[in-house]
Amino acid sequence: MTRILGAALVPSNARASLYFQLYSSNSVAQGAKMVADLKLGQYTKVPPRAMFIVQSAGTIVGSILSLVVMNSIIDSHREILLSVEGSNLWSGNIVQSFNSDAVTWGALGTEMWGPHSKYFIVPLGLVIGLFIPIPVWLGHKCFPKLQLDQVVTPIICFSLGYLSVGINSSVMATFIISFWSQFYLRKKRANFFRKYNYLLAAALDGGTQLMVFVSTFAINGGAGKQYTFLQWALNPPGHYDYCASSATTDG
């Protein structure tokens, strides 16, 4: 949506589209993450005011650290980040996507996304998305025993879009943990679920982010020197998702 608005407000201007996307979509994404964390804090009985203060402080400190971390990584792995393929640890596709979006939406918006273009279905998807929940809603009205009201179409559509880009093998781990939490714990260990489920979720979330930060600099070469682990099933040569089309794998 932000790309479409930027291209419509300032047509044929790649730089303006880039800045519009950076300041708008990133702000929306940051706000959505803060709301999600605020909701998790409410589940874990953290006072909302204290949660908001910590979030604000973390955002300010994080913005400074992000700049320092990015400069360090760019200096250490510039060649890999500029390559199309990247590696099993480093890839510049997210940052490069901002430049690609600025060109395609800003400079070539009408040619690429207009009514007579090949990719018109992409902006048209906003309209199509308005009607996707209707069949599910009608199905629930006609067949309430099917419990179609439990089907959340926005999450399904978002997940389908997420699976279409980048390395997304981590989604499987997310599904496994979610199934274990929402099915097994909720049904078989209800008392544990009520007392500790959201606390466990916060611990896993925070612990994962902390370990990613530590491993990035201490092990994976974010500060310059990279240490190589022994190869095994979860640390194969090439890409971790066993992508057969990877240029770094044999055959």
Side-chain angles (χ1 to χ4, degrees), residues 37-109:
D37 290 340
L38 190 63
K39 180 180 67 175
L40 185 59
Q42 184 177 4
Y43 289 155
T44 54
K45 310 301 182 183
V46 178
R49 181 176 298 179
M51 189 71 180
F52 179 75
I53 293 174
V54 173
Q55 284 181 314
S56 301
T59 301
I60 296 173
V61 175
S63 61
I64 300 174
L65 287 178
S66 295
L67 180 61
V68 175
V69 170
M70 178 167 286
N71 287 334
S72 175
I73 293 176
I74 289 175
D75 293 338
S76 303
H77 304 281
R78 181 176 180 83
E79 292 76 13
I80 297 177
L81 297 177
L82 290 175
S83 66
V84 177
E85 178 68 21
S87 69
N88 57 359
L89 292 175
W90 304 103
S91 174
N93 67 320
I94 295 179
V95 178
Q96 292 176 10
S97 67
F98 286 107
N99 180 67
S100 301
D101 290 339
V103 174
T104 56
W105 287 98
L108 305 173

Side-chain angles (χ1 to χ4, degrees), residues 5-14 16-17 20 105-106:
L5 289 176
L9 293 174
V10 191
S12 303
N13 191 326
S17 178
F20 188 91
W105 287 98

Side-chain angles (χ1 to χ4, degrees), residues 110-120:
T110 303
E111 291 78 3
M112 290 199 64
W113 315 105
H116 303 289
S117 66
K118 181 179 180 180
Y119 302 104
F120 180 60

Side-chain angles (χ1 to χ4, degrees), residues 9 26 54 78 158 163 165 168 180 196 217 220 245 250:
L9 293 174
N26 285 357
V54 173
R78 181 176 180 83
F158 172 81
L163 291 173
V165 295
N168 43 51
W180 175 76
Y196 304 113
F217 280 89
N220 294 327
S245 62
D250 296 333

